Amino acid sequence: MPKKSVAEIIVDTLQAAGVKRVFGVVGDSLNGITDTIRTREGMEFIAVRHEEGGAFAAGAEAHLTGDLAVCAGSCGPGNTHLINGLFDCHRSRVPVLALAAQIPSVEIGTGYFQETHPERIFRECSHFCELISTPEQAVRTIESAVAAALGQRGVAVVVLPGDVAYLETDAPDVRLPTLGRRSTASPAEADIRQAAALLNAGDKVAILAGIGCAGAHAELLLAAEALKAPVVQSLRGKEFVEPNNPYAVGLTGLLGMPAGYHALMDADTILMLGTDFPYRQFFPEDARVVQVDTRPEHIGRRTRVEIGLVGDVTETLRSLLPHLTPREDSTHLEEAQQRHRDDRAHLAELATGEAGDTSLHPQHVARLLDELAAENAIFTCDVGTPTIWAARYLSMNGQRRLIGSFVHGSMANAVSQAYGAALVEPGRQVIAMCGDGGLAMLLSELLTIRQHKIPVKIIVFNNSALSFVELEMKAAGLLDYGTALDNPNFGAVAEAAGLKGYRVQDPGQLESVLREALAHDGPALVDAVVKRQELSMPPSIDRKQAQGFGLYAVKALMNGRGSELLELAKTNLFR
């Protein structure tokens, strides 16, 4: 049996799993890995400027392909920088393997320079997190890590001391016995019949559909037709549920609109499909609920569920459909569809601007992006108001993709996810919808884009504030504090970084600037100066929120900030 170094065994295994790139920052404790990658055909090391960006990029690759993606960090600070991006990957359930280099093995436990214990630190954001302390562990550890990341859909971490990477051991042929194999679970027939009886008995049925509906589009439409049920989507389900779906009535929750909100709240029966939608206040209290999920621990943890079916959404719907009694009464569906048409008309009214104005309505920017982007564009969006505008204005058509930090809710994800997506889909248009706070937090990644000449398009919603946080403060009756951002001209910053930069604030110039930026042959950034006081209204405002906003208004007047209220009214009411 041939002998190879631990680094060679790891890289061999990753290549056998189909890995083509590793995102990270080089360091001496990673030298064994990076030097092995240097010599390999079909694999490259993508040098990023911040490891957190590398983890976000790997997550975007895994999201698009469903295959294993890899990031790496050198010992101590190098790999702890990965942790936020890895939390996002793990909570988004995308298969990512992280190589966390470690200090020399003989120094572990002595408080050595840059010492941490990654096998403890990363435990919470991984399915698998183990240290290779001797070369004989290498084969089993890396093969188990790959299997865990792919099989459990999440993060696996391999901790590797720099000196151990060079040690040799027996190297059998790589075996990944579960690679490319897929199994599906389907509930028992008796449970299917019981669920069908409950759904057939409902008068007003609604479907809440999430990312678990990927691959189940045809079955979802058949179920909606049989039950005459409006389909409300979660944000993560948008790219899979919305396309070519006449039953889709939008989102509920804080990012949603009235149609989706009322479709659920007015229902007496709900079918939840592949979603862990977390906001309990957007579920009706007395509805009867059937929930389908592959993970039993998710069933019933957001709302009271009467029947839980543990299984794949596609297979479960296929079993369920023959037992559904097609209904004639479509009143609930038609009311939701009409509300949805009203919502779309209202959103269109808000997505305009007058030439000569000194700033833009962010809805106008989002609407034009939707209209001008390619039919197969990949969008990424930062947490905060860019996610709101993406949720409300981007049209999913079955070809477009949408990636964000929708579960972990991290700032600064969009740029790194965009270049990760662009590397795995060369030639495809990739657009990052960024907040000014999110862009600034990992501004370093503009240099990653420059270095690798990645042709992403970055649209910055620049309102000089952490605006979603300001909205939360207003709703809580607080004066905004600590949210102001003294921003540079991001277009000029982009030019200095080697990207094509634009700055636009006149609505009359917006379309031409966006067209030019999207058509640019290379990376480009548009600094879109948008109105700070734009309100993104939730589908329903409760008494506490209304009282809080009223209290904020009184405080603003009493603290000499009445101009804020005037600007708020001009931006949102006098249109």
Side-chain angles (χ1 to χ4, degrees):
M1 184 178 297
K3 289 187 179 292
K4 292 184 178 181
S5 71
V6 171
E8 290 176 304
I9 289 169
I10 288 174
V11 174
D12 284 348
T13 305
L14 296 181
Q15 286 197 288
V19 174
K20 295 180 174 60
R21 60 192 62 81
V22 176
F23 297 92
V25 177
V26 296
D28 61 344
S29 55
L30 264 181
N31 283 348
I33 294 292
T34 54
D35 191 56
T36 303
I37 293 173
R38 178 186 61 82
T39 65
R40 296 301 177 90
E41 292 288 335
M43 179 181 278
E44 60 180 331
F45 190 84
I46 304 297
V48 302
R49 297 304 177 97
H50 195 296
E51 290 93 346
E52 181 178 345
F56 276 127
E61 177 179 340
H63 180 94
L64 291 175
T65 65
D67 298 328
L68 186 70
V70 180
C71 57
S74 57
C75 64
N79 61 60
T80 56
H81 280 163
L82 293 170
I83 195 164
N84 188 56
L86 291 181
F87 259 103
D88 183 78
C89 296
H90 194 58
R91 300 192 70 192
S92 297
R93 300 194 73 230
V94 293
V96 170
L97 187 143
L99 296 172
Q102 178 58 297
I103 63 171
S105 57
V106 297
E107 302 292 350
I108 294 174
T110 69
Y112 192 72
F113 176 65
Q114 293 187 323
E115 181 174 5
T116 61
H117 292 87
E119 64 275 22
R120 302 176 193 169
I121 293 172
F122 292 99
R123 183 69 62 185
E124 189 175 345
C125 65
S126 64
H127 291 302
F128 180 98
C129 185
E130 298 296 341
L131 168 71
I132 298 177
S133 56
T134 67
E136 290 76 20
Q137 293 175 279
V139 171
R140 283 187 298 172
T141 300
I142 188 62
E143 290 183 357
S144 296
V146 170
L150 288 169
Q152 297 186 65
R153 314 306 292 177
V155 169
V157 180
V158 173
V159 183
L160 180 65
D163 58 311
V164 174
Y166 290 102
L167 300 180
E168 291 191 343
T169 188
D170 291 340
D173 292 339
V174 176
R175 287 189 179 176
L176 299 171
T178 62
L179 184 67
R181 305 183 194 280
R182 182 174 181 267
S183 60
T184 58
S186 185
E189 178 69 14
D191 297 333
I192 289 287
R193 290 180 180 275
Q194 189 178 3
L198 188 154
L199 294 168
N200 289 333
D203 291 324
K204 294 181 177 181
V205 182
I207 295 173
L208 178 58
I211 193 170
C213 291
H217 194 265
E219 292 79 6
L220 174 62
L221 297 190
L222 290 172
E225 169 60 25
L227 296 168
K228 295 296 187 289
V231 177
V232 181
Q233 65 212 28
S234 71
L235 180 55
R236 295 182 72 211
K238 178 179 171 72
E239 60 179 329
F240 304 110
V241 174
E242 183 178 279
N244 306 309
N245 187 346
Y247 307 98
V249 296
L251 287 81
T252 185
L254 297 172
L255 309 185
M257 295 294 289
Y261 172 81
H262 287 289
L264 274 188
M265 297 302 286
D266 296 345
D268 59 30
T269 307
I270 296 173
L271 174 59
M272 292 177 64
L273 297 173
T275 179
D276 191 35
F277 180 74
Y279 302 106
R280 291 184 293 166
Q281 67 270 34
F282 290 97
F283 287 97
E285 291 186 4
D286 300 323
R288 305 180 74 188
V289 180
V290 174
Q291 184 175 359
V292 180
D293 204 294
T294 57
R295 293 163 291 174
E297 70 273 17
H298 283 194
I299 292 178
R301 73 174 183 174
R302 307 304 186 188
T303 189
R304 302 298 292 173
V305 169
E306 192 165 335
I307 297 176
L309 301 178
V310 178
D312 173 79
V313 170
T314 303
E315 295 301 319
T316 301
L317 284 179
R318 286 174 181 168
S319 298
L320 186 63
L321 282 166
H323 302 289
L324 296 180
T325 303
R327 66 183 65 220
E328 300 296 328
D329 185 1
S330 59
T331 304
H332 182 51
L333 172 61
E334 291 171 1
E335 288 176 349
Q337 290 171 323
Q338 182 58 53
R339 277 200 178 102
H340 187 49
R341 288 189 288 269
D342 294 342
D343 289 345
R344 302 307 303 169
H346 176 62
L347 288 174
E349 290 172 359
L350 297 176
T352 59
E354 295 184 9
D357 198 350
T358 58
S359 59
L360 307 160
H361 290 290
Q363 300 96 321
H364 191 195
V365 180
R367 177 181 65 80
L368 285 176
L369 271 179
D370 180 58
E371 293 174 1
L372 299 175
E375 287 297 296
N376 68 340
I378 300 170
F379 293 92
T380 66
C381 58
D382 269 336
V383 158
T385 51
T387 293
I388 297 175
W389 311 133
R392 295 183 178 180
Y393 284 94
L394 295 184
S395 303
M396 297 292 108
N397 57 12
Q399 300 179 66
R400 288 178 169 179
R401 303 298 305 270
L402 178 62
I403 305 172
S405 185
F406 299 144
V407 182
H408 188 49
S410 174
M411 288 178 63
N413 59 287
V415 166
S416 301
Q417 289 175 332
Y419 70 67
L423 287 170
V424 78
E425 292 276 7
R428 190 168 174 181
Q429 188 181 69
V430 180
I431 301 171
M433 299 171 65
C434 297
D436 45 358
L439 176 73
M441 185 174 282
L442 280 179
L443 196 61
S444 59
E445 296 317 284
L446 294 184
L447 301 182
T448 299
I449 290 169
R450 168 209 172 110
Q451 180 164 336
H452 298 286
K453 299 178 176 58
I454 307 171
V456 298
K457 308 300 185 268
I458 300 167
I459 314 300
V460 186
F461 289 75
N462 181 1
N463 51 21
S464 297
L466 299 173
S467 56
F468 195 82
V469 179
E470 286 191 344
L471 290 172
E472 293 172 322
M473 289 179 173
K474 288 180 174 72
L478 303 174
L479 291 174
D480 50 82
Y481 179 73
T483 57
L485 302 175
D486 184 4
N487 288 327
N489 178 331
F490 286 117
V493 171
E495 287 282 346
L499 286 70
K500 183 68 174 176
Y502 304 83
R503 183 176 172 89
V504 59
Q505 57 193 70
D506 184 341
Q509 299 172 358
L510 177 61
E511 183 171 348
S512 62
V513 170
L514 289 178
R515 284 187 182 276
E516 184 177 338
L518 293 175
H520 177 67
D521 184 18
L525 182 149
V526 176
D527 184 1
V529 181
V530 299
K531 297 182 183 295
R532 179 171 179 174
Q533 297 296 344
E534 193 77 46
L535 292 177
S536 53
M537 302 299 289
S540 177
I541 299 175
D542 61 29
R543 181 182 300 176
K544 185 177 180 181
Q545 290 171 319
Q547 290 173 340
F549 199 87
L551 181 59
Y552 151 75
V554 171
K555 287 181 178 179
L557 287 171
M558 293 179 66
N559 283 270
R561 293 168 60 170
S563 59
E564 286 185 16
L565 298 180
L566 180 60
E567 184 63 28
L568 198 66
K570 287 170 59 180
T571 301
N572 298 281
L573 298 180
F574 307 143
R575 296 176 63 180

